[in-house]
Amino acid sequence: MTKSKLTKVISRLDEHFGKPFDHTKKPPEILDVLIATKLSQNTTDKSSFKAYTNLKKKFGTWDNVAKASEKDIKDCIKVCGLANTKARNIKLMLQQMKKKYGTLELSFLQEYDDEKVYEEFLQYDGIGVKTISCVLIFAMGRDAFPVDTHVHRVLNRLGLVNTNSPVKTFEEIKDKIPEDKKYELHSNLIKFGRNFCRSNNPLCSKCFLYSLCKYEFKNENRKLKPPVKVTENNFIILENL
Ligand code: SF4
């Protein structure tokens, strides 16, 4: 991967998607981010945001969620799918944290450096590197680069990495992204992956990164009849907590 290619990708994404969200301003609580990320697994950001606001409205605090029945939690979050599993996992995680720290107010973790935050949260079932990177960005004002399926797919198609899993993509690219550009690139790659470089039927004929792309199965013959406007879905739950 050439540095100049990565710089061009970052700059064209910026031009298209505009000024990135300022993740250092008015951060949500660490648990807000952890729970919103869990809710957003295998569903859209819009439906997981609805589930998140339902939980907040009904229970008020995460302490109350920890004490609630799984059924009551499930009723609140059924809008986002996999409600049984998510209700069980969220309640279990909250109870484990309460037991370990004596509180669900986790701001003491601000004292930890990034590596120590990764180590701390990796001890919990169902919390992986991607989720912890989201906590670092959105709740702790750090610069990190979570790799989800969109980010993994797009970076491989562009030829910026050559890997077969999001974890390997993270390892291959994390030290090559300029300082203070990590979150911005992450957010724009998600938007780009949702709206242009989709898993099936990528909109190659409308793609502003076409000349930089190495993907051998480009969808070159796809014709969009006029009007050719792409309706974009750029809602990211963690930017709205
Ligand atoms: S040209 Fe197609 S495959 Fe390549 S980045 Fe653009 S949308 Fe994705």
Side-chain angles (χ1 to χ4, degrees):
M1 176 187 70
T2 63
K3 203 175 159 199
S4 74
K5 177 166 169 175
L6 180 60
T7 307
K8 277 184 201 159
V9 168
I10 291 172
S11 141
R12 286 195 202 174
L13 288 168
D14 281 354
E15 275 166 32
H16 183 86
F17 291 110
K19 192 170 165 43
F21 171 79
D22 182 357
H23 63 279
T24 61
K25 223 163 92 185
K26 278 182 70 182
E29 301 291 323
I30 288 171
L31 267 179
D32 293 352
V33 176
L34 275 175
I35 289 171
T37 307
K38 276 183 172 290
L39 290 170
S40 69
Q41 283 158 5
N42 298 308
T43 188
T44 65
D45 277 29
K46 279 188 182 157
S47 56
S48 50
F49 184 66
K50 180 87 180 97
Y52 174 85
T53 49
N54 285 350
L55 271 183
K56 282 275 196 174
K57 213 181 285 173
K58 179 164 175 80
F59 297 107
T61 66
W62 299 125
D63 272 289
N64 288 340
V65 176
K67 287 183 258 176
S69 70
E70 268 181 43
K71 184 186 173 307
D72 284 349
I73 300 172
K74 190 184 87 181
D75 287 346
C76 275
I77 64 172
K78 61 186 172 202
V79 64
C80 77
L82 296 177
N84 279 327
T85 309
K86 288 177 182 174
R88 188 166 54 248
N89 288 347
I90 287 169
K91 183 174 162 74
L92 182 65
M93 179 188 79
L94 290 172
Q95 287 178 328
Q96 286 173 334
M97 287 180 170
K98 182 84 180 179
K99 192 170 170 200
K100 179 166 185 192
Y101 308 124
T103 174
L104 290 178
E105 214 287 287
L106 304 183
S107 58
F108 65 91
L109 292 166
Q110 288 284 5
E111 305 292 319
Y112 291 17
D113 65 20
D114 292 0
E115 285 310 312
K116 206 166 165 202
V117 175
Y118 280 108
E119 270 171 38
E120 184 62 38
F121 283 132
L122 282 172
Q123 296 170 37
Y124 294 93
D125 282 347
I127 300 183
V129 168
K130 189 199 94 173
T131 300
I132 302 167
S133 298
C134 289
V135 168
L136 287 169
I137 292 170
F138 290 98
M140 305 179 81
R142 317 271 177 96
D143 205 29
F145 189 70
V147 175
D148 73 350
T149 55
H150 291 300
V151 174
H152 169 64
R153 179 178 70 253
V154 174
L155 289 177
N156 273 279
R157 285 180 176 175
L158 288 169
L160 287 167
V161 296
N162 182 13
T163 64
N164 58 13
S165 73
V167 172
K168 288 181 185 160
T169 295
F170 175 73
E171 286 304 322
E172 196 168 313
I173 202 155
K174 69 179 168 47
D175 296 327
K176 301 186 174 110
I177 306 167
E179 282 306 308
D180 300 327
K181 287 286 180 190
K182 288 180 181 165
Y183 173 66
E184 182 182 318
L185 181 61
H186 158 81
S187 171
N188 285 344
L189 284 173
I190 288 180
K191 291 169 185 168
F192 181 71
R194 276 184 192 169
N195 296 300
F196 290 88
C197 196
R198 304 178 304 208
S199 177
N200 297 315
N201 286 326
L203 294 182
C204 303
S205 62
K206 302 299 297 170
C207 177
F208 54 89
L209 297 181
Y210 188 96
S211 63
L212 300 170
C213 180
K214 296 278 184 223
Y215 187 44
E216 60 181 316
F217 304 113
K218 282 199 196 95
N219 205 355
E220 300 184 55
N221 295 324
R222 183 181 167 81
K223 296 274 183 255
L224 290 177
K225 294 196 171 68
V228 290
K229 188 174 182 312
V230 177
T231 305
E232 296 187 14
N233 165 18
N234 290 330
F235 180 83
I236 291 182
I237 181 174
L238 297 180
E239 294 183 351
N240 289 276
L241 300 182

